[in-house]
Structure formats: C-alpha cells, structure tokens
Amino acid sequence: MRLTFILLTSMVVLYAQAQTTHHTPGGTIVHLDSRQQLPAGGNRDVIFQEDFADGIPTDWLNAESNGIAHWEYRGLNTTPNLETGTQGSCLPAGTTGQPIQSPTQGNGFVIFDSNWWDNPDLPCTPANFGTGPAPGPHYATLASPIIDLTNYYGVGLEFYQYYNGYDVHASVELSADGGITWFEIYNNDLINNPSDLNDHVLLPIGQYVGGLSEVKFRFVFTGLYYFWQIDDVNVIEIPEFDIAITEPSYGDFDIYDPAHPTGFEFMEYSRYPYQMAPLLKFSATAVNNGVYENYDVRLNVEIKDPTNNVIHSAQSLEGLYVWPGIPQEVRAGTFQNPSVLGEYSVHQYLTTSSPENLTDNNHDTT
C-alpha cells in the first residue's frame, strides 16, 4: 500500500482512488486472495482432487429433491459449453451469464442453475416463478465419494466458486460416517453477493474429520433463483501452524457506524491532498490456516516516509488467540500522517508466539 499526497493548484479536490480488499467473513469461512494461496507441489500433500475435466464422476452423488433438476457439467463439448454460466431468465435478453474463472475452467466446471430450472424463458418477475422444467425452491446436493483420512489430521477442503443467490442458502456439509449423517461447516450467507468470479475458499476440516476413514463432503443449494458454480475441489494437507494476514487496512470505513455522521468517514484512499493528511487507523484480519490455535497474535505496523525512514511503528496492545477457521480482527492504533508531500508506504504484518510453518503470508507491504 502507498499513500501519496498531491499538490492541487486551483482547488482542493480529493483524488478518490479507493483501495479494494478481499472479503473475509467470520465463522468458518476463509476467502483467500493471491497473497494467501497455500504453497503448491511438494510443500503440501493433495489427498483428493477433482477438477471436473471429464464431467461429474460417477462416484459423486448428484441429487435434487424434485428428481428433475440437477447439478450440470459445463465442458468443451457440452450444450451449453464452458463459455456459458447461468442461462436463467434474469439476464438481458439474448445473453447468458459469465462462467467461473477458476484455474482449470478451461476443462470444465459444475453449476446448479436454479433460475434456469425454475424459469428459463419468461420475464424475471415473481409472477413467472415456477414456469420452468423444475420449479423451485430447490434442494440440490453434490456429494463426493468416501475419502480415507486415517493418516491425516491437518486437513483442509478448498474449492473455487462463483455464486449469486436470490433466496438461497448455499452451504458445504461434512459427513464422518460415509454419508449417513451430515453437518454444516460453511455457508455463503455472509459473502459478497454475487461473489468474485474466482472466489477461492479454504476450510480447515481436520478438527472435524481428521484421522477418520469414511469422510465425505457435499455442496448443498437450498432455495430459489440464480446459481452456484464450483471447480477445482481439493482435500489437502495443511500446516500445523500458519497464521495469515487478510484485509489489511489503514482506514476505518463503516457506513453503518452511528458515530460517523455521513457514513463515509475514514474511507481508504491511495492519494490525499496535502491539506487533508489522513488519520490512519490500522486493522487487519488474522486467519489461522493451520491445524492448531495460534496465541499472542498481534498486528505490527510501520510507516515509512518518502526517504524510506520509519516515522511510525506500533503493535497491538493485546495478543489474541486465533483458532483454525475463525478469523479475528486485529488493530494497532492510529497515526496522524504528516502533511508533507510525498509517497508514504504502509507495512503491516502479524506476529505470534506460536511456532510458524509458513511466513510468506504474514505480511502486506508494497
């Protein structure tokens, strides 16, 4: 991140180049951006993987309560093919929706297209609900085969998704007994709707099913309208200790905060007029991608001036426990940036008193 102060000769105008961050909701949901990907290749053991290159495998259970609708495969030779996402009626006439942008989208993906099943052709209004081949609401599940995790305790389930729901509960469930009983570990209720085209989700599941031999997972679409696209599903071994920083911020924007009179106070910009030098408010989300809890997790901050001198440093006053799959917000105070023209860099990183197996995802610098 960089803050730049600019001199404006004729009038004071805010150069509103807002920063964007990847949403990380609470609960057991961890959404990763490019800085937090787990290492590939020899640094992790892929226990199970499915990229749907050959369609939906026969050992996956594809079911929907009305017996007509189902999860569909989009591939090179399917109709429609992998260049098409949703076909539902809630689109401009003559168009189809975008496909997921997962790493292996080029060899196919799966979709539950609730809007199309309920109403493929007529105008997208409540009066036309239920006019399609399989009227909603839908209850559609796509379940994996049994996976043997006897020798694995640090385990994560990861997948890519593109989701948009109208009146929907889209969830992931686990079974520890081969599919007899199920329990929910994730839902899309709290993410941005629609999601990113390439939303990467990592769910630590070792605390639920590590060491067990008859593990299954399934994607569950419950409700009415729009779609859920899935690709690149992996069950992977994850490190014992791995704390990662997400959503680093030097603003404190909260449109619902009653203490903010207009609702737009402390928005995060990359450039400010020197007359409006910002009060920086440091925060981030600490995500535990490992097996065991991290303790004494703190946010550390350094601000460097245009000559690369450190002009401010701070650390969280209180160290937090961060459990696997339960993100925690960490803060490190405030700083009034000086009104001297130039480029300032913001460096934020996490420290912990626990061991740490991966350190390349602990910091955010420019």
Side-chain angles (χ1 to χ4, degrees):
M1 303 176 191
R2 292 192 183 275
L3 303 180
T4 305
F5 293 87
I6 58 178
L7 179 62
L8 304 172
T9 57
S10 59
M11 58 182 176
V12 176
V13 178
L14 185 63
Y15 185 99
Q17 184 176 329
Q19 301 294 298
T20 59
T21 56
H22 198 86
H23 183 62
T24 306
T28 60
I29 306 172
V30 180
H31 294 260
L32 306 180
D33 64 26
S34 60
R35 293 166 302 189
Q36 283 84 47
Q37 305 301 311
L38 288 176
N43 293 324
R44 71 176 188 182
D45 191 358
V46 178
I47 304 164
F48 171 89
Q49 62 185 135
E50 183 55 61
D51 65 2
F52 303 108
D54 300 311
I56 299 176
T58 57
D59 56 357
W60 286 62
L61 181 60
N62 183 1
E64 204 282 321
S65 57
N66 63 31
I68 300 174
H70 54 268
W71 289 79
E72 302 170 80
Y73 170 61
R74 300 273 202 267
L76 284 169
N77 300 311
T78 60
T79 303
N81 64 21
L82 51 75
E83 295 179 356
T84 297
T86 180
Q87 302 180 89
S89 62
C90 296
L91 293 164
T95 67
T96 56
Q98 292 178 283
I100 190 173
Q101 296 299 303
S102 51
T104 68
Q105 186 269 342
N107 66 18
F109 60 92
V110 297
I111 177 175
F112 186 77
D113 199 357
S114 177
N115 183 185
W116 186 87
W117 287 111
D118 186 82
N119 173 19
D121 302 313
L122 299 177
C124 184
T125 65
N128 294 321
F129 283 3
T131 57
H138 300 109
Y139 178 71
T141 60
L142 184 63
S144 75
I146 290 176
I147 303 167
D148 186 355
L149 298 180
T150 301
N151 298 318
Y152 298 96
Y153 293 89
V155 185
L157 170 63
E158 68 171 352
F159 59 92
Y160 283 81
Q161 67 173 354
Y162 175 31
Y163 165 77
N164 193 3
Y166 168 64
D167 184 14
V168 176
H169 184 79
S171 61
V172 176
E173 297 180 346
L174 278 181
S175 173
D177 54 15
I180 299 173
T181 57
W182 296 89
F183 55 94
E184 182 178 299
I185 60 164
Y186 166 90
N187 70 72
N188 273 332
D189 291 354
L190 298 178
I191 71 167
N192 294 327
N193 189 11
S195 73
D196 294 340
L197 290 167
N198 61 344
D199 190 27
H200 177 209
V201 182
L202 170 65
L203 307 173
I205 61 173
Q207 65 268 42
Y208 306 118
V209 293
L212 303 181
S213 62
E214 295 190 316
V215 177
K216 298 185 72 171
F217 61 87
R218 67 181 181 181
F219 301 99
V220 183
F221 186 103
T222 306
L224 184 65
Y225 269 62
Y226 309 132
F227 58 85
W228 196 10
Q229 301 177 40
I230 301 289
D231 199 10
D232 294 309
V233 182
N234 299 312
V235 177
I236 59 175
E237 189 171 24
I238 60 176
E240 291 182 336
F241 295 95
D242 178 22
I243 197 73
I245 188 171
T246 66
E247 294 191 309
S249 175
Y250 49 82
D252 194 25
F253 172 67
D254 182 356
I255 198 169
Y256 300 110
D257 189 339
H260 296 175
T262 72
F264 295 99
E265 283 76 9
F266 302 109
M267 291 187 73
E268 185 176 294
Y269 297 96
S270 62
R271 298 185 183 185
Y272 298 81
Y274 75 93
Q275 302 99 324
M276 301 173 67
L279 175 65
L280 306 178
K281 297 191 172 188
F282 307 108
S283 66
T285 299
V287 175
N288 187 343
N289 292 331
V291 179
Y292 303 113
E293 71 274 14
N294 281 83
Y295 64 94
D296 193 27
V297 176
R298 298 173 188 258
L299 177 62
N300 300 262
V301 174
E302 287 186 350
I303 303 296
K304 295 184 179 181
D305 69 10
T307 61
N308 208 37
N309 291 317
V310 176
I311 61 171
H312 175 73
S313 61
Q315 185 185 67
S316 303
L317 295 177
E318 179 183 3
L320 301 180
Y321 277 86
V322 182
W323 297 87
I326 306 178
Q328 293 257 33
E329 183 185 54
V330 283
R331 290 181 173 268
T334 65
F335 175 65
Q336 177 60 58
N337 215 78
S339 57
V340 177
L341 291 174
E343 202 167 65
Y344 294 77
S345 57
V346 181
H347 305 257
Q348 300 190 63
Y349 59 96
L350 297 177
T351 56
T352 174
S353 295
S354 300
E356 183 67 348
N357 299 127
L358 293 174
T359 58
D360 59 353
N361 57 4
N362 295 22
H363 54 83
D364 183 273
T365 60
T366 303

